[in-house]
Amino acid sequence: MLLGVNIDHVATLRNARGGIEPDVLTAARICKECKVAGITTHLREDRRHIKDSDVEAIRMLPHIRLNLEMAMTDEMQEFALKIRPHAVCIVPEKRQELTTEGGLDVEGQLDRAVKFVQPLLEKNIEVSFFIDPDIHQISAVSKTGAPFIELHTGRYSEVFGTPEEEKAFQDLKGAAIFAQNYGLKVNAGHGLNYQNVKRMHEIPNLVELNIGHSIIARSIFVGLEKAINEMKALCEG
Ligand code: PXP
């Protein structure tokens, strides 16, 4: 499995003091040196961590794949069409939430989703929808033309190590196989850490894991390069 590193929380720390440190671009360059599959950033409506200028600067770095997480809004679509990231992951967004709490309801807004992804696909941007492991959502995504889903691993991560882990894990595994039978490629992410990531190898043909918080948290103690390389080894191993 490939590793995409979400560097939003480098910006969260920077913004805590309103200055320029730690520098998001330096983090992006370290990701590149570690040869990760890509960098992921979530440009939120309230710009609480990553800002437009950060995303634009990362996009200008040569030889690094940018996966832009964004809400299904006209503003974000315009931004994505302007900077043309390699990939876009469409996520739900509520201002009050601490982080992305649930998957996107694609089924409930299918017409909008179909229209939304069209111009992105025409620009050869790889589109995924961030959804819960739910067969209705998967079959809705299969009607949009998007080639990927990203499965929300939040529930699995939350109950990891408890009696509820097995059901949450089997839900993910079943959803991944169901999606692949529809011809969709499957990524996963949210809440993954150095322990719970290992079971992702039991899910067949996962393409990429997008991981942020646990890597940035560990980097405080061991440095970013080591934190990334340890996670990369777990993903690839
Ligand atoms: N994937 C998606 C779609 C997300 O919204 C997030 C959080 O921004 C992640 C992956 C990474 O989650 P975490 O920071 O918990 O690793």
Side-chain angles (χ1 to χ4, degrees):
M1 286 174 300
L2 301 170
L3 170 64
V5 179
N6 181 318
I7 56 173
D8 290 343
H9 295 310
V10 176
T12 306
L13 190 55
R14 175 196 63 189
N15 299 353
R17 278 292 175 98
I20 56 166
E21 287 180 335
D23 176 39
V24 170
L25 263 196
T26 303
R29 288 198 187 95
I30 293 172
C31 291
K32 188 182 151 208
E33 279 157 24
C34 293
K35 297 191 170 41
V36 298
I39 291 175
T40 296
T41 57
H42 182 177
L43 187 64
R44 294 187 72 102
E45 190 194 359
D46 60 8
R47 310 298 198 268
R48 73 168 72 141
H49 36 59
I50 284 289
K51 300 189 188 306
D52 303 46
S53 54
D54 296 321
V55 183
E56 284 161 3
I58 296 167
R59 178 68 185 92
M60 295 307 288
L61 288 177
H63 313 300
I64 187 80
R65 191 169 163 276
L66 172 64
N67 172 32
L68 177 65
E69 292 175 3
M70 59 180 218
M72 200 160 62
T73 64
D74 293 346
E75 182 204 5
M76 287 302 154
Q77 188 193 53
E78 200 179 303
F79 182 76
L81 290 172
K82 185 179 81 176
I83 69 149
R84 293 173 70 164
H86 303 85
V88 152
C89 179
I90 304 168
V91 302
E93 198 173 299
K94 289 191 226 114
R95 259 179 191 252
Q96 306 83 344
E97 68 191 357
L98 279 178
T99 180
T100 317
E101 281 167 4
L104 185 72
D105 178 16
V106 182
E107 192 190 27
Q109 45 186 339
L110 186 55
D111 289 347
R112 165 107 180 111
V114 170
K115 289 196 190 93
F116 191 84
V117 300
Q118 207 51 46
L120 300 170
L121 294 172
E122 279 164 14
K123 294 272 188 236
N124 292 322
I125 298 171
E126 228 170 51
V127 178
S128 69
F129 282 97
F130 185 53
I131 57 170
D132 289 323
D134 176 312
I135 57 171
H136 304 290
Q137 295 301 339
I138 293 167
S139 71
V141 173
S142 75
K143 294 175 191 142
T144 64
F148 275 89
I149 58 168
E150 179 168 324
L151 283 176
H152 195 317
T153 50
R155 170 77 189 146
Y156 160 74
S157 302
E158 216 175 88
V159 298
F160 181 75
T162 77
E164 293 166 74
E165 173 187 330
E166 199 49 38
K167 162 137 188 7
F169 176 76
Q170 292 304 334
D171 286 349
L172 281 176
K173 186 173 174 180
I177 293 168
F178 186 83
Q180 286 157 3
N181 287 338
Y182 264 107
L184 291 164
K185 288 178 265 190
V186 184
N187 297 332
H190 203 95
L192 294 175
N193 62 31
Y194 294 82
Q195 285 75 43
N196 64 26
V197 72
K198 293 173 194 158
R199 286 204 83 182
M200 293 299 108
H201 287 285
E202 295 173 44
I203 300 177
N205 303 313
L206 279 185
V207 179
E208 183 174 308
L209 301 179
N210 284 306
I211 307 180
H213 186 85
S214 64
I215 294 175
I216 304 305
R218 182 150 175 76
S219 76
I220 291 173
F221 303 114
V222 302
L224 186 55
E225 187 181 333
K226 190 164 183 327
I228 292 171
N229 281 331
E230 286 175 2
M231 187 60 87
K232 191 164 168 259
L234 290 171
C235 292
E236 291 174 355

